[in-house]
Amino acid sequence: MFAKILIANRGEIACRVIRTARRMGVRTVAVYSDADAGALHVEMADEAVHIGASPVGESYLRGDKIVAAALATGAEAIHPGYGFLSENPDFVDQVTAAGLVFIGPSAASIRAMGLKDAAKRLMEKAGVPVVPGYHGEAQEIVLLASKAREIGYPVLIKARAGGGGKGMRRVEHPDDFSEALSGARREAKAAFGDDRVLVEKYVEKPRHIEVQVFGDIFGNVVHLYERDCSAQRRHQKVIEEAPAPGMTPALRKAMTEAAVKAAKAIDYSGAGTIEFIVDASQGLKADRFWFMEMNTRLQVEHPVTEMVTGTDLVEWQLRVASGEKLPKTQSEITLSGHAFEARIYAEDAAKGFLPATGTLHHLKFPDTAPEGASMRIETGVRTGDAISPFYDPMIAKLVVHGKNRQAALEALGTALSQTEIAGSTVNTAFLAALAADADFSAGDVDTGLIGRHQQALTAAPPPSSEIVAAAALAASGAGAQAPSNDPWSSLAGYSHFHAIARRTRLRHGEDDILALVSMRPDGRFQVALDAPYDRALDLRAAPRLARWPGHVTVFSGAVGYSFAVPDPLARADEIAAGADSLRAPMPGLVKLVRAAKGEAVIKGQPLLILEAMKMEHTISATHDGTIAEIATEGAQVTDGTVLVRFAEEAHG
């Protein structure tokens, strides 16, 4: 076994590899860019090496810098994770030429599966079923259009290089073929530097089912059953599960045998995934699946396979790469229960899943797994970390396992409803809506499900008056929890003659909200909401919420409602400029008076200190003038109380 490895990646997968390596007694070296100097994977690793600026082209895609870092730190092998250089055969050559071990397949295996058209021709020779289509080298438009007619519409034009839905077009009619081909080629050229395409039969109700395979250098290859990754948006996976719902023994046998055959055809060693497209229009049948492509690396969704097979695939990677045989034979690998993985992203589902950025001011996952289930959180971020525009905006993978699909699905919904994230727009509400979707719950999934239901799945329900009231209470500071041993906590908001009312303003979307918060004699708070709510609600304790700079987020299930809280002092200055008086922007105590009646003051001069919400706020003159009246030191004031009045001649 290796003594030390370098991880040529970042974020969640780097942390994932580090955990297994640490358990196995293997030391780890992290690499990082400028943006990741304080990242979790850097903190977790035994050593860390800076490799460049934040853009990936200057850091995580610099194979020369990564190899140099491995040599400088004495690492014996490099784990690529997924993405970046994980499927780059030239990088594998760099690693091996330096005398290091690449923890993954050979460069030859990666090249064999790197181009979709060549891979499909290879699979045809190996007896693996492929989608009816044209996978040849000729790219003339007349030939491609002719092949499309032979295949029969609808057809799918696909870039032969890359993935992720780029360079892909569905064509319904021959008249649309030319324009679709031009668009696919432009996109493929921009994304992969290769505008060549293949043309395939479009499957009407496609299921994306993939088989996890694993090989060693002794020629042994096993499968670890299948995963269903049909829940996709923009050809990107959202929720994955294992095993596939509705899977029949006949189809599983046919698919797993084909997957092992595919891996053996290229002398595969390490973790890999054979992806199949399955026609589910007439149920799952053993003669209705076809090879799509092979991912020659560890998949993002590998944890669901680990959960249902009781394996650690990263451990297997390290063992096989160090020259050991596969840890288990095929007969020793069994299925148990059902698992789901939900990818939690910083993205705006309601705006077409646009990536989002921001600082994770509040990040809280469930403390324990839902009853009767097990759970794991795979993440590379902590509270206070920023979602950078330079990298994939994944926050975490929430993985649950139950005794059957229904139990696992219920556990997934519960765990999502207990997840709290504030500071960036996230997709937890969308994930929860998908998990509760009637078709998804029934296992009636295909790659078009999210697209068909997208409006309902991404609809953002407006906050209820109860949620708005809770936000107002939190923003006012009246509901702040004092330590249980604080003898004054029972007097929070108390005034000798009347309850102190705190005026609070909030903004949610385009809505400006005004609320008046006061304490009732029984210890509850009353929150009176202005239009359009026009309600007064009594609250005893604030629900799940997070306060962060200038904002409050209230959590209701998997939805986080964020409200902007305008700075009352800034607003007071804005309103008071040139006015005859200065009013208290919030309830508080006049802690210190720095001017006197009759005194001439200048703009910006501090006049008094107001203590409110456990902080001191300086009230300054908004213009030159003479003080006619000023509040008394020690006075308890309410929102809107006149603190300073200027003599009339100040504006004469």
Side-chain angles (χ1 to χ4, degrees):
M1 180 50 60
F2 307 115
K4 183 189 291 187
I5 65 171
L6 180 142
I7 302 163
N9 219 296
R10 64 175 300 280
E12 172 269 324
I13 186 57
C15 295
R16 163 75 185 88
V17 174
I18 290 170
R19 283 194 295 272
T20 288
R22 180 183 295 160
R23 179 176 58 78
M24 296 176 67
V26 177
R27 293 179 61 79
T28 55
V29 179
V31 293
Y32 64 93
S33 67
D34 289 348
D36 282 338
L40 181 59
H41 75 280
V42 174
E43 178 184 297
M44 289 178 62
D46 296 299
E47 301 173 58
V49 178
H50 177 254
I51 55 170
S54 302
V56 294
E58 299 177 43
S59 50
Y60 295 108
L61 292 181
R62 288 291 301 272
D64 56 338
K65 289 188 175 183
I66 291 171
V67 170
L71 293 173
T73 56
E76 303 157 75
I78 294 179
H79 193 300
Y82 51 69
F84 294 143
L85 296 169
S86 62
E87 293 182 282
N88 186 319
D90 295 335
F91 177 61
V92 179
D93 288 337
Q94 278 183 284
V95 172
T96 55
L100 303 168
V101 176
F102 181 76
I103 302 175
S106 67
S109 293
I110 295 175
R111 288 191 174 99
M113 288 296 188
L115 297 175
K116 293 184 179 70
D117 53 354
K120 288 182 179 181
R121 290 195 296 271
L122 179 61
M123 291 299 98
E124 283 181 303
K125 290 181 182 178
V128 177
V130 299
V131 179
Y134 173 72
H135 310 127
E137 290 290 338
Q139 293 288 301
E140 294 80 5
I141 185 171
V142 175
L143 174 66
L144 294 175
S146 173
K147 292 296 183 182
R149 287 191 180 91
E150 290 178 17
I151 296 165
Y153 285 87
V155 298
L156 194 65
I157 300 172
K158 298 172 66 176
R160 77 168 198 158
K166 296 181 178 67
M168 185 181 294
R169 296 289 189 279
R170 174 182 173 176
V171 190
E172 298 283 350
H173 192 274
D175 292 345
D176 303 323
F177 187 83
S178 178
E179 184 178 348
L181 176 63
S182 297
R185 280 177 165 167
R186 285 194 304 271
E187 197 168 276
K189 183 70 174 178
F192 315 118
D194 185 345
D195 67 356
R196 286 170 289 183
V197 300
L198 47 86
V199 183
E200 294 180 342
K201 176 67 179 174
Y202 181 81
V203 179
E204 292 292 345
K205 190 174 182 181
R207 289 271 296 274
H208 181 141
I209 301 177
E210 59 191 31
V211 176
Q212 176 73 59
V213 293
F214 222 108
D216 62 24
I217 60 174
F218 303 100
N220 301 306
V221 178
V222 297
H223 70 80
L224 290 95
Y225 300 96
E226 81 282 351
R227 299 184 287 257
D228 194 299
C229 306
S230 300
Q232 301 178 7
R233 49 99 174 113
R234 298 201 317 259
H235 305 289
Q236 296 286 337
K237 300 167 186 175
V238 175
I239 295 180
E240 302 98 342
E241 60 182 299
M247 177 58 71
T248 65
L251 179 58
R252 176 174 289 145
K253 182 176 186 295
M255 288 184 73
T256 54
E257 287 179 353
V260 170
K261 191 183 296 183
K264 286 185 174 181
I266 58 170
D267 298 320
Y268 197 78
S269 176
T273 301
I274 311 296
E275 299 194 348
F276 295 102
I277 191 78
V278 181
D279 183 356
S281 59
Q282 299 176 16
L284 299 183
K285 296 185 178 181
D287 62 348
R288 304 293 289 171
F289 76 97
W290 303 280
F291 172 87
M292 281 200 303
E293 61 183 344
M294 181 178 189
N295 287 302
T296 52
R297 55 170 169 79
L298 196 67
Q299 291 281 88
V300 178
E301 59 271 22
H302 76 274
V304 293
T305 292
E306 294 181 322
M307 296 288 258
V308 296
T309 59
T311 56
D312 183 333
L313 295 181
V314 174
E315 178 181 343
W316 282 35
Q317 285 186 299
L318 297 181
R319 293 195 180 283
V320 166
S322 66
E324 297 182 23
K325 287 186 176 182
L326 288 173
K328 290 185 178 182
T329 63
Q330 190 64 68
S331 62
E332 294 174 316
I333 303 170
T334 58
L335 275 175
S336 175
H338 203 98
F340 285 95
E341 174 184 289
R343 302 188 187 189
I344 300 176
Y345 274 90
E347 65 180 14
D348 193 335
K351 294 182 178 178
F353 303 100
L354 284 175
T357 57
T359 298
L360 301 174
H361 291 286
H362 179 81
L363 182 64
K364 183 177 183 295
F365 297 108
D367 295 324
T368 58
E371 186 176 356
S374 56
M375 176 185 68
R376 57 195 265 194
I377 306 295
E378 301 284 351
T379 186
V381 294
R382 303 148 296 188
T383 297
D385 285 351
I387 301 299
S388 165
F390 295 105
Y391 313 117
D392 182 82
M394 179 187 285
I395 294 173
K397 300 184 308 193
L398 175 60
V399 190
V400 296
H401 178 269
K403 62 181 180 181
N404 53 43
R405 188 175 190 272
Q406 184 59 38
L409 191 59
E410 290 175 0
L412 177 64
T414 299
L416 284 168
S417 71
Q418 295 173 352
T419 298
E420 302 175 3
I421 304 173
S424 176
T425 302
V426 295
N427 67 340
T428 49
F430 162 71
L431 293 171
L434 177 58
D437 178 83
D439 288 344
F440 187 84
S441 296
D444 185 14
V445 295
D446 63 77
T447 58
L449 184 148
I450 291 176
R452 291 193 301 273
H453 300 185
Q454 186 165 332
Q455 185 173 353
L457 294 174
T458 60
S464 65
S465 54
E466 288 78 10
I467 288 171
V468 175
L473 178 60
S476 73
Q481 296 298 312
S484 59
N485 60 351
D486 178 2
W488 307 105
S489 61
S490 62
L491 298 179
Y494 173 78
S495 178
H496 185 64
F497 294 108
H498 57 83
I500 297 174
R502 303 188 180 190
R503 189 179 302 274
T504 300
R505 290 186 179 274
L506 303 170
R507 186 171 182 83
H508 180 75
E510 298 299 317
D511 298 331
D512 286 308
I513 303 164
L514 177 63
L516 200 63
V517 180
S518 57
M519 175 173 269
R520 294 168 54 90
D522 61 2
R524 291 181 296 169
F525 291 95
Q526 184 179 79
V527 182
L529 300 175
D530 208 341
Y533 300 95
D534 289 325
R535 284 192 64 190
L537 299 94
D538 290 344
L539 303 178
R540 182 172 294 278
R544 300 160 54 210
L545 58 84
R547 299 179 182 86
W548 47 291
H551 295 79
V552 169
T553 298
V554 179
F555 301 100
S556 177
V559 184
Y561 294 95
S562 289
F563 299 82
V565 183
D567 182 349
L569 290 175
R571 186 171 181 276
D573 286 347
E574 207 176 279
I575 295 172
D580 289 331
S581 62
L582 298 178
R583 296 177 180 270
M586 65 192 84
L589 174 72
V590 179
K591 192 71 177 280
L592 182 66
V593 176
R594 292 184 170 179
K597 181 178 178 179
E599 182 178 342
V601 297
I602 61 173
K603 182 179 179 179
Q605 180 178 333
L607 303 181
L608 57 84
I609 303 294
L610 180 69
E611 185 181 70
M613 297 173 67
K614 300 183 180 180
M615 296 179 64
E616 292 188 350
H617 307 273
T618 300
I619 304 298
S620 301
T622 55
H623 53 77
D624 297 349
T626 301
I627 295 178
E629 295 179 27
I630 192 164
T632 304
E633 200 166 285
Q636 182 78 50
V637 298
T638 61
D639 181 15
T641 298
V642 174
L643 299 176
V644 179
R645 193 181 304 280
F646 293 96
E648 291 184 9
E649 61 268 25
H651 305 294

